[in-house]
Amino acid sequence: MTAHSMAKSLHNSVQAFKGRLRVISGRNLVMLAYTCVVALLTVSCVGVPERRKDTGFSVILPFMRMDGGECYYLDDFMPTPDNMVSGKSAGLFLRYYTFRSATYKVWDRERVMLAFFSRDNRCWSLFEEYSSSRF
């Protein structure tokens, strides 16, 4: 997803809620919070592109499924990421892990971002995964 499409999505979300007072359902709130976090991460990361250093090594990430019933204790087995952003939105804890060079599922030696949510800050569920040549 590009910065332009994320900004457009955020703009559309704001326009949909503008001028109306209504109770936001849990799913809409999560999607709005997710869009805001991704937009902020993208805007803050825009700058002079760095050259990718090929070290010959990639982190091997464990296979995870995008299933709400799955429960992962991330602190027990996740490799150290290049960057981790964590926060809280409403009743959900959020974590975004980025790896510059990783092997994950069928993605080999690509930049990978995994996003998780939790209700208790212990058991985490995967809800987004990206593979890209650039973040």
Side-chain angles (χ1 to χ4, degrees), residues 71-119:
C71 183
Y72 302 108
Y73 296 93
L74 300 178
D75 298 328
D76 294 338
F77 68 87
M78 280 294 283
T80 304
D82 296 310
N83 190 24
M84 183 186 87
V85 176
S86 62
K88 187 172 181 184
S89 175
L92 292 179
F93 295 93
L94 304 171
R95 281 192 189 177
Y96 296 84
Y97 291 85
T98 58
F99 300 89
R100 286 200 179 113
S101 182
T103 300
Y104 178 61
K105 295 185 179 180
V106 296
W107 305 331
D108 188 25
R109 303 180 56 73
E110 294 284 328
R111 294 182 183 211
V112 173
M113 181 177 83
L114 301 178
F116 298 88
F117 72 91
S118 174
R119 296 189 195 287

Side-chain angles (χ1 to χ4, degrees), residues 20-132:
R20 292 189 256 171
L21 290 176
R22 79 176 212 195
V23 176
I24 301 173
S25 70
R27 181 167 171 78
N28 287 342
L29 183 59
V30 169
M31 289 306 296
L32 181 61
Y34 170 73
T35 303
C36 291
V37 169
V38 171
L40 288 174
L41 287 174
T42 303
V43 170
S44 67
C45 295
V46 173
V48 178
E50 68 177 59
R51 286 195 169 167
R52 185 173 175 188
K53 294 179 182 176
D54 189 1
T55 61
F57 299 102
S58 65
V59 175
I60 298 174
L61 297 176
F63 178 87
M64 288 175 278
R65 292 188 301 173
M66 290 174 46
D67 182 4
E70 294 293 315
C71 183
Y72 302 108
Y73 296 93
L74 300 178
D75 298 328
D76 294 338
F77 68 87
M78 280 294 283
T80 304
D82 296 310
N83 190 24
M84 183 186 87
V85 176
S86 62
K88 187 172 181 184
S89 175
L92 292 179
F93 295 93
L94 304 171
R95 281 192 189 177
Y96 296 84
Y97 291 85
T98 58
F99 300 89
R100 286 200 179 113
S101 182
T103 300
Y104 178 61
K105 295 185 179 180
V106 296
W107 305 331
D108 188 25
R109 303 180 56 73
E110 294 284 328
R111 294 182 183 211
V112 173
M113 181 177 83
L114 301 178
F116 298 88
F117 72 91
S118 174
R119 296 189 195 287
D120 63 3
N121 209 17
R122 291 180 58 240
C123 169
W124 295 86
S125 296
L126 178 67
F127 73 96
E128 289 286 347
E129 51 192 0
Y130 295 102
S131 172
S132 170

